[in-house]
Amino acid sequence: MEKVLFTSESVTEGHPDKVCDQISDAILDAILEKDPQAHVACEVTATTGLVHVMGEISTECYVDISSIVREVVNDIGYNDPAYGFDGSTCGVITSIDMQSPDIALGVNTSFEAQHGAQEEDDRTGAGDQGMMFGFACDETPELMPLAISLAHKLSRRLAQVRKSGELSYLRPDGKTQVTVEYVDGKPARVDTVVVSTQHAPEVALEQIRSDILEHVVRPVIPAQWLDDDTKYFINPTGRFVIGGPVGDSGLTGRKLIVDTYGGYGRHGGGAFSGKDPTKVDRSAAYAARYVAKNIVAAGLARKCEVQLAYAIGVAHPVSVMVESFGTSAYSNEQLAGAVKKVFDLRPSAIIRQLDLRRPIYRRLAAYGHMGRADLGVAWEKTDRTEELKAALA
């Protein structure tokens, strides 16, 4: 037997980086609601008493960025001046320019269109070069790795018991971490659980540890994964009163691994939040997850990673790679061939098939962009399985 440990982390919506992600995507949603064709690249930094919104936005509409910032911050739970950062009193600075016309040229009129291509989906080029990864495996019902799935559920539970008043002394910032023990490549047990949660200053550490174990950990992690040797570290420093942008500055796009597969699958390096779907950092990463999930759901592999790569201004991907880690009866080359037959991976086709010009993004900006069957997003559907099987017949 080969035993290995693998760890993934998640953060709550009050983590300073996640505050920035949610503001970026709330601004994107507000713009897309009025102008679905807008080009948006919106980034945010946050620190004590200050939010700075910056980026490149080209749109025909107007949105009140300052009001959106304040609404998001208050909604997350930073709504009391005593926290040192709240939506009603924080300063908001905006530094917005239009999208570069050089970038717009390649997006609006692709390389293929410039050379005579007539298909509508050939006319929109990728908004940047780069590579994007998608991943799926059969460890959980949503076809996500077990460690990141459990870590996200713990973070969401922290927010739930805080907002419901069940543990009213909790504050918005928090982090979770789960270590899974694998035996011969399959998850066997949870080895370690780490929870660090911001709290009111008057609460005793013993109460926090007892409450988190009872109200957060045990309701989330099924008993089948826990045993007498499972280790729990709850607020291991002993105190976590100062949190959010007061405790640490925040920045859009700094939680890439939390947003995807918890480190279990590779990542191309591009962030998601604040980017409209012509940016393949976002749309092609969703498409790659869609492809990988359908391969696993079809029973063609138990574990699957898909890489897509693009050149700026070019509609067709420059490469499509499938890796099944030896869990498929088919070669990686055969699987990649089936993917090319079944999936149209040009940016405009991805946008249309996955319905990405809608204001859906703020809901994705915390607790992961992948595995979110709870939100009904199109890239979590498994509706192409029969087509993949037929392509391999």
Side-chain angles (χ1 to χ4, degrees):
M1 287 194 305
E2 182 187 39
K3 294 183 178 181
V4 297
L5 299 177
F6 187 84
T7 302
S8 293
E9 73 161 349
S10 178
V11 299
T12 66
E13 61 207 63
H15 185 281
D17 294 332
K18 277 291 144 203
V19 171
C20 295
D21 285 341
Q22 290 168 91
I23 292 171
S24 291
D25 274 336
I27 292 168
L28 172 63
D29 281 351
I31 293 172
L32 289 179
E33 191 168 13
K34 295 181 178 180
D35 180 8
Q37 303 299 318
H39 292 292
V40 180
C42 176
E43 298 186 50
V44 174
T45 61
T47 188
T48 306
L50 181 65
V51 174
H52 186 182
V53 181
M54 67 199 87
E56 297 77 45
I57 299 175
S58 296
T59 180
E60 299 298 322
C61 74
Y62 169 79
V63 298
D64 187 341
I65 289 177
S66 179
S67 293
I68 293 170
V69 170
R70 298 183 188 284
E71 178 183 351
V72 171
V73 172
N74 281 320
D75 184 60
I76 288 169
Y78 292 115
N79 51 18
D80 186 336
Y83 296 169
F85 179 83
D86 73 282
S88 299
T89 65
C90 67
V92 179
I93 299 174
T94 60
S95 304
I96 303 294
D97 294 312
M98 292 186 65
Q99 183 186 49
S100 162
D102 295 342
I103 295 175
L105 175 66
V107 174
N108 297 334
T109 308
S110 70
F111 173 86
E112 291 91 336
Q114 294 175 37
H115 289 78
Q118 297 300 312
E119 282 192 48
E120 186 63 31
D121 286 332
D122 277 334
R123 300 191 63 80
T124 301
D128 202 353
Q129 71 176 48
M131 67 284 190
M132 300 82 211
F133 286 94
F135 183 83
C137 63
D138 63 0
E139 294 179 10
T140 61
E142 66 271 28
L143 304 185
M144 287 286 285
L146 180 61
I148 189 64
S149 177
L150 293 177
H152 280 323
K153 289 175 181 176
L154 287 172
S155 290
R156 292 177 70 180
R157 180 66 180 169
L158 275 176
Q160 181 183 350
V161 297
R162 170 177 63 87
K163 291 181 175 182
S164 70
E166 189 173 348
L167 297 180
S168 58
Y169 59 80
L170 296 185
R171 289 182 177 174
D173 199 356
K175 303 178 80 170
T176 65
Q177 185 172 286
V178 176
T179 300
V180 174
E181 182 180 282
Y182 286 79
V183 177
D184 292 337
K186 296 183 178 181
R189 56 183 290 274
V190 168
D191 181 80
T192 307
V193 178
V194 182
V195 179
S196 295
T197 180
Q198 187 186 13
H199 58 88
E202 67 274 9
V203 184
L205 178 60
E206 293 75 14
Q207 181 183 350
I208 295 171
R209 289 176 171 169
S210 174
D211 285 346
I212 294 300
L213 192 60
E214 178 183 352
H215 296 280
V216 177
V217 176
R218 298 205 182 281
V220 164
I221 302 181
Q224 71 187 78
W225 299 117
L226 304 174
D227 58 31
D228 292 341
D229 294 323
T230 300
K231 298 177 285 292
Y232 304 94
F233 295 99
I234 298 170
N235 279 24
T237 65
R239 183 176 172 86
F240 186 0
V241 173
I242 299 172
V246 176
D248 191 9
S249 60
L251 176 65
T252 298
R254 200 157 54 183
K255 287 291 176 282
L256 306 180
I257 302 305
V258 172
D259 285 342
T260 51
Y261 308 101
Y264 200 101
R266 285 175 282 195
H267 197 295
F272 301 155
S273 290
K275 296 179 181 178
D276 77 81
T278 65
K279 279 71 171 174
V280 284
D281 279 342
R282 174 165 235 159
S283 54
Y286 294 163
R289 162 65 177 172
Y290 183 42
V291 173
K293 187 173 184 180
N294 273 271
I295 289 173
V296 174
L300 301 176
R302 289 187 293 105
K303 184 187 298 185
C304 180
E305 185 174 72
V306 174
Q307 186 202 52
L308 307 176
Y310 292 84
I312 188 169
V314 179
H316 289 268
V318 299
S319 71
V320 177
M321 182 276 289
V322 177
E323 171 62 69
S324 64
F325 307 96
T327 67
S328 176
Y330 300 93
S331 70
N332 292 331
E333 183 179 4
Q334 287 175 307
L335 291 171
V339 168
K340 293 174 186 177
K341 291 178 184 177
V342 172
F343 294 90
D344 189 340
L345 296 169
R346 292 172 291 181
S348 62
I350 292 170
I351 291 169
R352 183 179 65 256
Q353 293 164 11
L354 301 184
D355 200 9
L356 297 180
R357 292 198 185 276
R358 299 180 296 130
I360 59 173
Y361 297 107
R362 185 194 162 186
R363 297 180 300 161
L364 291 160
Y367 314 117
H369 293 246
M370 313 304 176
R372 299 302 300 275
D374 59 305
L375 297 180
V377 290
W379 55 94
E380 292 300 321
K381 293 181 179 178
T382 54
D383 54 354
R384 311 299 289 274
T385 56
E386 295 306 316
E387 292 173 77
L388 283 168
K389 292 176 186 177
L392 289 162

